[in-house]
Amino acid sequence: MEERTDYCGNITEKYVGKKVSLDGWVQRRRDLGGLVFVDLRDYKGIIQLVFNTDHQDVLDIAETLRSEYVINVIGTVRLRGEGATNDEMTTGKVEVVVEKVEILNKSLTPPFKIKDDIDSSEETKLKYRYLDLRRPEMQKAIRTRAQIKHSVNEYLYENGFIDIETPNLTPSTPEGARDYLVPSRVYPGRFFALPQSPQLFKQLLMVGGFDRYFQLAHCFRDEDLRGDRQPEFTQIDIETSFMNKKEIQTVTEGLIARVMKDEKGIEVKTPFPRIDWDESMARYGSDKPDVRFGMELQDLSEIFKDSEFKVFKGAIDDGGQVKAIVVKGGADKYSRKNIEAYQEYIKRFGAKGLAWTKFNDNELAGGVAKFIKSQEAALVEKLGLENDDLLLFVASNKKIVADSLGYLRKAIAKEQHLYDPNEFAFIWVVNWPLFEYDEGIQRWTAAHHPFTMPNEEDVHYLNDGEDPHKAYAQSYDIVLNGYELGGGSIRIHDYKIQEKMLKALNFTKEKAYEQFGFLLDALQYGCPPHGGLAIGLDRFAMLLSGKDNIRDVIAFPKNSNATEPMTHAPLEVSEQQLDDLGIEVSKKD
Amino acid sequence: MEERTDYCGNITEKYVGKKVSLDGWVQRRRDLGGLVFVDLRDYKGIIQLVFNTDHQDVLDIAETLRSEYVINVIGTVRLRGEGATNDEMTTGKVEVVVEKVEILNKSLTPPFKIKDDIDSSEETKLKYRYLDLRRPEMQKAIRTRAQIKHSVNEYLYENGFIDIETPNLTPSTPEGARDYLVPSRVYPGRFFALPQSPQLFKQLLMVGGFDRYFQLAHCFRDEDLRGDRQPEFTQIDIETSFMNKKEIQTVTEGLIARVMKDEKGIEVKTPFPRIDWDESMARYGSDKPDVRFGMELQDLSEIFKDSEFKVFKGAIDDGGQVKAIVVKGGADKYSRKNIEAYQEYIKRFGAKGLAWTKFNDNELAGGVAKFIKSQEAALVEKLGLENDDLLLFVASNKKIVADSLGYLRKAIAKEQHLYDPNEFAFIWVVNWPLFEYDEGIQRWTAAHHPFTMPNEEDVHYLNDGEDPHKAYAQSYDIVLNGYELGGGSIRIHDYKIQEKMLKALNFTKEKAYEQFGFLLDALQYGCPPHGGLAIGLDRFAMLLSGKDNIRDVIAFPKNSNATEPMTHAPLEVSEQQLDDLGIEVSKKD
């Protein structure tokens, strides 16, 4: 095999007059009788090949070439003729006159064209993933992911972090999401679990004296899949000792700035803004605020607390709120029908209704206008209303108001193009509650995880007789354009605080030791103060690639049923394999 | 928490007169009454702290410090007094007079001293792995591993390779070692397998147009463990398209040279020597030759083919060989008892005996001397015998001869210090047989794997009516100091050859498609010529760390029972978890 001179996409004017050897895939062939043009493709781009009667044997082969054949050609680069250039391609000024061709492999007709924006089904694309990956947009997305990993590796190395691998065969922890289990053959009846995160192991590394750890860690969660979830995913996992949360955040900002510069050529401004969790919920109705645009939630409870409008006053009397967003110029754009669609949608958050009115000709009109006439002046002043403003109100408890208006804010901003999709707005959401109430399982859980350090002034809330749920935590999330990119915290390094924390989460002492005994032991042997964070690599790559599904930045993802249409995994296995493991299948699909 | 100025081990004369803040662990405390010395440790080294009556409150705290307490101190660096310096430490010329101390965490008395060369049991060290990791030699080994990873990342990135993650939840393949299985919850009764290697996925990436792939890939094998095996391990995994084996080897040599330079400061000479597999077996009795020393196997079959000594002649008549190694100066050093111990040992390779004799006073004497008198002159000439030589013979079939003498060669070289343990000798073993006969399962298997390309001139052996086992392969192993560091091959990109190969391995067409259908499909859609290799990261790190067990370069390894004494994984799980997965435990330990 002749060694290639360069990639197809790199053949520009600098090669004119030179003999080159090129490898690639046939993108298309045009046969003009005695003259054949072939577009040859590799991941760098496409180069035009010319086959003519000067080399009849080569021309004969060219006439047999079909899409996706793999060939090597040797030929001479020349400038294209007048009028035959293509300014949209970097190789568009030249072509290669082929003197020698070798078919390295043939191809059946692919099930879809190897080009961007195809409309094949997701299932077909996954079944023929090796063909899907040839498409330029997929090449780009996977390479973006690799570039992020490289930048992360370099930046963290330069900053004294060392890459340590934690185990993939770990103990199962009943807390949190469902584990993937791995039966043990040596101890039948016992199981490993694939790690949901390296949390405890990285804390043990701190106990072990590795004061700046990182890992591009594979994590596994056996959950029902949504758009941006996969059974396995990768996180940029960081842990440090002897650093406070500000220092950890500063290192992280440097990391993100490096990635943005290397991959997007963007200089992001650091430090990133910080917002308290409470404030983020109040102003954006979300702990993942998209701060590329305003349209913040306005608390009108004070204005409506004595209102005659029962829907509003009732919510306030019940301890809830009345909040609104103002859609500038929205009065004209949003019909009653549009608004009704939103009313329907926000029911999923528990909202009973979406009140609206419009400000036109310097007065409120339509919707709930007639019920809130007496608050009109106060509203105009507080909200700075202008003509053509649309007002959308939700009155309910704090959570429902936040969720509903938080969603509406994002949806309307997207419709109204209120932000530049190429802008990247990072923000820290800090000072989270230590606990959150999980409606699903009807109990208090750790907002991040049970190893999160409370704020110093809140540690006392964990004492007997106090209400632990009042405590805030030394935790922080990094948010990009409304997505949670990652999060972390200072961890508990004090054995006594850890014990209290587990107690507050309803662990008996026995259960705490059963599950976390090794951590509780380790805390008693000179565990340094430590903290860290994890950034979702898949999501980061997705956002930087402009994709809206993490599948597009994973080479071989699972489909939404957690299966793999190419290899058909998972598969049935032999009885012998099950026997060796001491397990039996008790139900089949 | 005060931000630290630098690591303890970095506090040298350049800091004299400066105020510093230091974090670390108390290595030891000497209490001289009104004066306390504390050695403070971090991974960079140890610094001497001085507490005196100038700061009585600080001195009072110092008197309570115990081993492995974590403290922060603020103090001023000064030169140590005359005669109090320690030239063995980089910090040995200075000390820190402490003005402020904070106990960040206390410590129970550790189960072993945090220092090198402790004699605690492996089990204790694994149970308290977080303490074991604090020991300087463990810090160094884990950091060596991280440095290798970093050098690999950089070198491959600079050479146009991109880092792509392949899945960990994959189909189970009955070929090769035993898989770790992962039950599927969505499809009860079906299983994923953890990958033994990313082999097929990386080949699919080549089909997908990623022509230079790498990954630091986690691999899993559920095998009984030996010294340098672990259930999970990491390989530096590489695959390329459009490159021949020479080019792949050249890239690999560059990679290894980079690692050796970065981690050991050694400039290794490239290209590495190459040896054919047949020659390696003949000269070294091994496909993993340690080429730091000679003492090669000498084939004496020609000399003994008409010998009256039945043991030798009989082996040759049965199609076997007589081979020997000559231990220079060994006649005096090796007693009959030493030799008998070796005789005993090599029985495990199937050898019936180890014949020996000595060359002294210009003649053979002792052992088998009397039976081989008539070959003495020929032996002296062929082997260039000198006085005090010890000759060790094995007569048997090729494999037993090779295994026995290959082992003896290594063992004796180690005893006799025939090589510099700090030398690193790399060699390529090339041109392997395509198949090997597996005595265990009594059938022919692929010497590397079923996707290895035969040598071009040997492809015809796969045709009907020919003997496929005569074929040699385009495969290559990289060997370091007698260890297989890694291996690879050019892969089959031709669908027809792959079909024939699977047939030669006794796959029916149906079974071939059942297991490898996705690969066979992919080969038909423009699969480029490709090849690659994988290097065992654990073993590489072990050899560069001068360790003899890969456990020492893995942060949290399993013990020899594939369990983890710290977390006690694997563990029993709840009935609910098993129910969700549709499995039952059928036998318990």
Side-chain angles (χ1 to χ4, degrees):
Chain A
M1 200 161 49
E2 194 73 30
E3 199 170 331
R4 80 171 139 199
T5 311
D6 205 337
Y7 286 98
C8 298
N10 289 346
I11 303 301
T12 57
E13 296 96 305
K14 72 177 175 186
Y15 280 106
V16 166
K18 297 211 171 104
K19 189 163 279 198
V20 294
S21 168
L22 301 173
D23 296 312
W25 285 262
V26 172
Q27 182 72 23
R28 65 169 184 157
R29 189 194 78 204
R30 281 164 297 153
D31 208 333
L32 307 180
L35 185 65
V36 168
F37 290 100
V38 165
D39 285 348
L40 189 66
R41 187 195 71 238
D42 61 26
Y43 87 88
K44 292 276 190 183
I46 283 174
I47 179 76
Q48 177 167 292
L49 307 178
V50 183
F51 298 78
N52 60 34
T53 50
D54 290 351
H55 297 87
Q56 186 61 46
D57 53 331
V58 173
L59 181 63
D60 289 346
I61 296 172
E63 283 167 351
T64 71
L65 297 177
R66 299 181 57 195
S67 284
E68 299 309 314
Y69 275 32
V70 188
I71 61 174
N72 170 265
V73 294
I74 294 172
T76 304
V77 182
R78 71 177 184 199
L79 287 170
R80 295 196 197 181
E82 199 76 38
T85 60
N86 181 341
D87 289 345
E88 281 171 21
M89 301 162 69
T90 51
T91 64
K93 290 200 170 59
V94 299
E95 61 192 7
V96 178
V97 183
V98 178
E99 291 143 36
K100 215 171 138 193
V101 61
E102 185 185 356
I103 296 177
L104 301 173
N105 217 343
K106 296 187 175 186
S107 176
L108 301 175
T109 303
F112 46 78
K113 261 287 193 198
I114 308 302
K115 64 187 194 64
D116 288 346
D117 302 318
I118 54 171
D119 59 0
S120 278
S121 74
E122 198 61 26
E123 208 65 8
T124 302
K125 286 195 284 182
L126 287 176
K127 179 166 183 213
Y128 295 95
R129 187 66 169 178
Y130 42 86
L131 296 177
D132 193 31
L133 288 172
R134 274 188 210 159
R135 298 188 306 112
E137 61 175 323
M138 289 305 295
Q139 285 279 330
K140 190 152 179 291
I142 299 292
R143 286 169 196 277
T144 290
R145 180 191 182 96
Q147 177 60 55
I148 296 172
K149 288 183 77 173
H150 181 71
S151 298
V152 166
N153 260 302
E154 285 218 313
Y155 173 85
L156 291 173
Y157 180 85
E158 288 163 15
N159 282 277
F161 285 80
I162 78 156
D163 176 347
I164 305 181
E165 290 151 274
T166 52
N168 285 296
L169 298 172
T170 68
S172 179
T173 51
E175 285 297 292
R178 204 184 279 108
D179 281 328
Y180 276 104
L181 296 182
V182 182
S184 162
R185 178 177 57 87
V186 181
Y187 294 97
R190 287 161 59 178
F191 295 80
F192 294 103
L194 299 178
Q196 296 186 26
S197 96
Q199 182 61 35
L200 293 179
F201 286 102
K202 70 176 175 171
Q203 291 191 237
L204 293 173
L205 287 173
M206 296 304 108
V207 184
F210 293 97
D211 62 358
R212 294 191 169 201
Y213 144 94
F214 85 99
Q215 182 181 198
L216 287 149
H218 291 145
C219 306
F220 302 83
R221 284 183 201 170
D222 188 8
E223 288 179 327
D224 298 321
L225 303 185
R226 294 192 314 235
D228 64 349
R229 288 226 181 133
Q230 280 279 308
E232 48 181 313
F233 55 98
T234 305
Q235 66 190 35
I236 303 165
D237 199 47
I238 290 172
E239 196 77 7
T240 73
S241 299
F242 305 118
M243 280 172 93
N244 63 32
K245 62 190 179 208
K246 183 70 187 0
E247 292 169 276
I248 295 170
Q249 288 163 13
T250 301
V251 165
T252 307
E253 286 167 349
L255 173 68
I256 287 172
R258 172 69 154 270
V259 168
M260 296 306 291
K261 180 143 203 294
D262 289 351
E263 172 57 23
K264 307 295 287 185
I266 292 173
E267 302 274 357
V268 297
K269 213 179 122 208
T270 57
F272 300 153
R274 280 161 176 72
I275 189 170
D276 274 354
W277 185 88
D278 281 344
E279 187 184 342
S280 181
M281 292 305 293
R283 287 171 55 191
Y284 301 103
S286 170
D287 51 22
K288 306 184 272 284
D290 191 336
V291 293
R292 288 175 297 178
F293 57 94
M295 204 161 66
E296 295 182 9
L297 279 57
Q298 305 284 347
D299 192 345
L300 308 176
S301 307
E302 193 57 35
I303 291 175
F304 288 113
K305 70 173 194 267
D306 300 315
S307 163
E308 313 84 58
F309 186 35
K310 282 199 190 137
V311 176
F312 285 4
K313 186 167 188 300
I316 297 165
D317 288 347
D318 291 347
Q321 302 172 317
V322 176
K323 286 186 144 188
I325 55 173
V326 178
V327 186
K328 300 308 268 182
D332 194 39
K333 285 183 193 132
Y334 285 84
S335 66
R336 182 182 299 256
K337 208 173 140 196
N338 299 140
I339 296 168
E340 277 168 1
Y342 279 132
Q343 281 174 326
E344 197 50 42
Y345 189 88
I346 64 171
K347 282 184 184 161
R348 70 176 57 187
F349 305 115
K352 292 219 179 65
L354 174 67
W356 63 273
T357 187
K358 292 175 176 180
F359 191 70
N360 266 327
D361 301 329
N362 295 313
E363 61 169 3
L364 294 174
V368 298
K370 57 179 175 292
F371 305 116
I372 61 172
K373 266 294 161 199
S374 44
Q375 288 82 27
E376 176 163 330
L379 287 173
V380 170
E381 198 197 327
K382 180 166 170 79
L383 302 176
L385 293 181
E386 295 170 311
N387 281 327
D388 206 17
D389 281 353
L390 167 69
L391 286 75
L392 299 170
F393 305 84
V394 176
S396 187
N397 72 39
K398 210 168 163 180
K399 180 163 170 42
I400 290 171
V401 169
D403 288 350
S404 308
L405 287 177
Y407 164 76
L408 282 174
R409 177 180 172 271
K410 282 194 195 182
I412 290 169
K414 191 171 180 186
E415 278 175 5
Q416 300 292 318
H417 305 293
L418 294 190
Y419 54 86
D420 174 0
N422 295 315
E423 189 189 340
F424 294 92
F426 295 92
I427 186 168
W428 288 106
V429 178
V430 300
N431 215 14
W432 284 61
L434 186 58
F435 297 91
E436 68 184 10
Y437 193 74
D438 186 324
E439 300 282 349
I441 54 176
Q442 296 275 309
R443 64 177 175 89
W444 287 92
T445 59
H448 276 84
H449 54 59
F451 318 106
T452 306
M453 183 74 106
N455 281 333
E456 266 177 58
E457 64 273 22
D458 292 352
V459 170
H460 69 88
Y461 286 125
L462 298 180
N463 291 340
D464 285 343
E466 297 214 45
D467 181 1
H469 310 123
K470 285 185 181 162
Y472 281 76
Q474 298 190 44
S475 54
Y476 33 84
D477 271 14
I478 177 80
V479 172
L480 168 57
N481 294 354
Y483 285 88
E484 181 200 335
L485 198 60
S489 61
I490 298 297
R491 328 297 184 184
I492 298 170
H493 68 276
D494 182 307
Y495 170 74
K496 291 199 196 76
I497 299 177
Q498 187 64 68
E499 273 206 319
K500 287 179 194 169
M501 180 71 191
L502 289 171
K503 196 175 163 195
L505 287 164
N506 284 316
F507 279 78
T508 60
K509 190 152 182 166
E510 193 192 2
K511 199 177 143 211
Y513 268 85
E514 192 185 304
Q515 276 187 39
F516 304 116
F518 58 98
L519 178 73
L520 293 167
D521 282 349
L523 292 179
Q524 296 179 78
Y525 284 101
C527 170
H530 63 283
L533 92 168
I535 291 174
L537 174 66
D538 309 277
R539 197 173 280 171
F540 202 4
M542 176 187 95
L543 290 169
L544 296 198
S545 300
K547 300 282 181 188
D548 52 15
N549 194 309
I550 61 168
R551 270 203 300 268
D552 291 337
V553 294
I554 297 175
F556 299 100
K558 303 289 184 284
N559 68 11
S560 53
N561 282 327
T563 66
E564 215 269 276
M566 183 180 64
T567 63
H568 305 297
L571 295 165
E572 292 191 12
V573 297
S574 68
E575 278 305 317
Q576 182 61 51
Q577 281 175 289
L578 299 181
D579 272 2
D580 285 349
L581 299 172
I583 58 172
E584 271 172 14
V585 170
S586 60
K587 77 176 172 208
K588 277 203 190 181
D589 196 32
Chain B
M1 200 162 48
E2 195 74 31
E3 198 169 333
R4 81 172 138 198
T5 311
D6 205 336
Y7 286 97
C8 298
N10 290 345
I11 302 300
T12 57
E13 297 95 304
K14 72 176 175 188
Y15 281 107
V16 167
K18 296 207 173 109
K19 190 163 279 198
V20 294
S21 167
L22 302 174
D23 296 313
W25 285 263
V26 172
Q27 181 72 22
R28 64 169 184 157
R29 189 195 77 205
R30 280 164 298 153
D31 207 331
L32 308 181
L35 185 65
V36 169
F37 289 100
V38 166
D39 286 347
L40 190 66
R41 187 196 70 237
D42 61 26
Y43 86 88
K44 292 273 191 186
I46 283 174
I47 179 78
Q48 177 165 292
L49 308 179
V50 183
F51 299 79
N52 59 34
T53 50
D54 289 352
H55 297 88
Q56 186 63 46
D57 53 330
V58 173
L59 181 63
D60 291 345
I61 295 172
E63 284 165 353
T64 71
L65 296 178
R66 299 180 57 194
S67 284
E68 300 309 314
Y69 274 32
V70 188
I71 62 174
N72 171 265
V73 294
I74 295 173
T76 303
V77 182
R78 72 176 183 198
L79 286 171
R80 295 196 196 179
E82 199 74 38
T85 60
N86 181 342
D87 289 344
E88 282 171 20
M89 302 164 68
T90 51
T91 64
K93 291 199 171 57
V94 300
E95 60 193 7
V96 179
V97 184
V98 178
E99 291 143 35
K100 215 173 138 191
V101 61
E102 185 185 355
I103 296 176
L104 300 173
N105 217 342
K106 296 187 176 184
S107 176
L108 301 176
T109 304
F112 47 77
K113 262 285 193 200
I114 309 301
K115 64 185 193 65
D116 288 347
D117 301 319
I118 54 172
D119 59 0
S120 277
S121 74
E122 197 62 27
E123 209 65 8
T124 302
K125 286 196 283 181
L126 287 175
K127 177 161 186 218
Y128 296 95
R129 186 67 169 179
Y130 42 86
L131 296 177
D132 193 30
L133 289 172
R134 275 188 211 159
R135 298 188 307 112
E137 59 175 324
M138 289 304 296
Q139 285 279 330
K140 191 154 179 288
I142 299 292
R143 286 171 196 276
T144 290
R145 181 191 180 95
Q147 176 60 56
I148 297 173
K149 289 182 76 174
H150 180 71
S151 299
V152 166
N153 261 303
E154 285 219 312
Y155 173 85
L156 291 174
Y157 180 85
E158 288 163 15
N159 282 277
F161 285 79
I162 77 156
D163 177 346
I164 306 180
E165 290 151 274
T166 51
N168 286 296
L169 298 171
T170 68
S172 178
T173 50
E175 286 296 293
R178 203 183 280 106
D179 281 329
Y180 276 105
L181 296 183
V182 182
S184 161
R185 179 178 55 87
V186 181
Y187 295 96
R190 286 160 59 178
F191 294 81
F192 293 103
L194 299 178
Q196 297 187 23
S197 97
Q199 183 59 36
L200 293 179
F201 286 103
K202 70 175 174 172
Q203 291 191 237
L204 293 173
L205 287 173
M206 295 304 108
V207 184
F210 293 98
D211 62 359
R212 292 190 171 202
Y213 144 94
F214 84 100
Q215 182 181 199
L216 286 149
H218 290 147
C219 306
F220 302 82
R221 284 183 201 171
D222 188 7
E223 289 178 328
D224 298 322
L225 303 186
R226 293 195 312 238
D228 62 349
R229 288 225 181 132
Q230 279 279 310
E232 47 181 312
F233 55 97
T234 306
Q235 67 190 31
I236 304 164
D237 200 48
I238 291 173
E239 195 79 5
T240 72
S241 299
F242 305 118
M243 279 172 94
N244 61 34
K245 62 189 179 209
K246 182 70 187 4
E247 292 169 276
I248 295 169
Q249 289 163 13
T250 301
V251 165
T252 306
E253 287 167 349
L255 172 69
I256 285 172
R258 172 68 154 270
V259 168
M260 295 306 291
K261 181 144 200 298
D262 289 351
E263 172 57 23
K264 305 295 286 185
I266 292 174
E267 301 274 357
V268 297
K269 213 180 123 208
T270 59
F272 300 153
R274 281 162 175 73
I275 188 171
D276 275 355
W277 186 88
D278 280 343
E279 188 185 341
S280 181
M281 293 304 292
R283 287 172 53 194
Y284 301 103
S286 169
D287 50 21
K288 307 185 270 286
D290 191 335
V291 295
R292 289 176 296 178
F293 56 93
M295 205 161 64
E296 296 182 7
L297 280 56
Q298 305 285 346
D299 193 345
L300 308 176
S301 306
E302 192 57 35
I303 291 175
F304 288 112
K305 71 172 193 264
D306 300 317
S307 163
E308 313 83 59
F309 186 33
K310 282 199 189 136
V311 175
F312 284 6
K313 184 165 187 302
I316 296 167
D317 288 348
D318 291 349
Q321 300 173 318
V322 177
K323 286 186 145 188
I325 55 172
V326 178
V327 186
K328 301 310 266 181
D332 194 40
K333 285 183 195 132
Y334 284 85
S335 66
R336 183 181 299 255
K337 209 174 138 195
N338 298 141
I339 295 168
E340 276 167 4
Y342 279 132
Q343 280 173 329
E344 198 50 43
Y345 189 89
I346 64 172
K347 283 185 183 159
R348 70 175 56 186
F349 305 115
K352 293 217 180 66
L354 175 66
W356 63 272
T357 187
K358 292 176 176 180
F359 191 70
N360 267 327
D361 300 328
N362 294 312
E363 62 171 1
L364 295 175
V368 298
K370 57 179 175 286
F371 306 116
I372 60 172
K373 266 292 159 198
S374 44
Q375 288 83 28
E376 178 165 328
L379 288 173
V380 171
E381 197 198 327
K382 179 166 170 78
L383 302 176
L385 294 182
E386 295 170 312
N387 282 323
D388 207 20
D389 281 354
L390 167 69
L391 284 78
L392 299 170
F393 305 85
V394 176
S396 187
N397 72 38
K398 210 168 163 178
K399 181 163 168 41
I400 290 172
V401 169
D403 289 350
S404 309
L405 287 176
Y407 164 77
L408 282 175
R409 177 180 172 269
K410 283 194 195 182
I412 290 170
K414 193 171 180 188
E415 279 176 5
Q416 301 291 319
H417 305 293
L418 295 189
Y419 54 85
D420 174 0
N422 295 315
E423 188 190 339
F424 294 93
F426 295 92
I427 186 169
W428 288 107
V429 178
V430 301
N431 214 16
W432 284 60
L434 186 57
F435 297 92
E436 67 185 8
Y437 193 74
D438 186 324
E439 301 284 347
I441 54 175
Q442 296 274 311
R443 64 177 174 89
W444 288 92
T445 59
H448 275 83
H449 53 59
F451 318 107
T452 306
M453 182 74 103
N455 281 332
E456 266 177 58
E457 63 273 23
D458 292 352
V459 170
H460 70 87
Y461 286 125
L462 299 180
N463 291 340
D464 284 344
E466 297 213 46
D467 180 1
H469 310 123
K470 286 186 181 161
Y472 281 76
Q474 298 190 43
S475 54
Y476 34 83
D477 270 16
I478 177 81
V479 171
L480 168 57
N481 293 355
Y483 286 88
E484 181 199 335
L485 198 60
S489 61
I490 298 297
R491 328 297 185 185
I492 298 170
H493 68 277
D494 182 307
Y495 169 74
K496 289 197 198 77
I497 298 177
Q498 187 64 69
E499 273 206 319
K500 287 178 194 169
M501 179 71 190
L502 291 171
K503 195 174 163 198
L505 287 164
N506 285 315
F507 278 79
T508 60
K509 190 151 183 166
E510 193 192 1
K511 199 176 144 211
Y513 267 85
E514 191 185 304
Q515 277 187 41
F516 304 117
F518 57 99
L519 176 73
L520 293 167
D521 281 351
L523 292 179
Q524 295 178 80
Y525 284 101
C527 170
H530 63 285
L533 94 169
I535 291 174
L537 174 67
D538 309 275
R539 197 172 282 172
F540 203 3
M542 176 187 94
L543 291 170
L544 295 198
S545 300
K547 301 282 183 188
D548 53 14
N549 194 308
I550 62 169
R551 271 203 299 268
D552 290 337
V553 294
I554 297 174
F556 299 101
K558 302 290 183 285
N559 68 11
S560 53
N561 282 327
T563 66
E564 216 268 277
M566 182 181 64
T567 64
H568 305 297
L571 295 166
E572 291 191 13
V573 298
S574 69
E575 279 305 316
Q576 183 60 52
Q577 283 174 287
L578 299 182
D579 273 2
D580 285 349
L581 300 172
I583 58 173
E584 272 172 13
V585 170
S586 59
K587 76 175 173 209
K588 277 202 189 181
D589 197 32

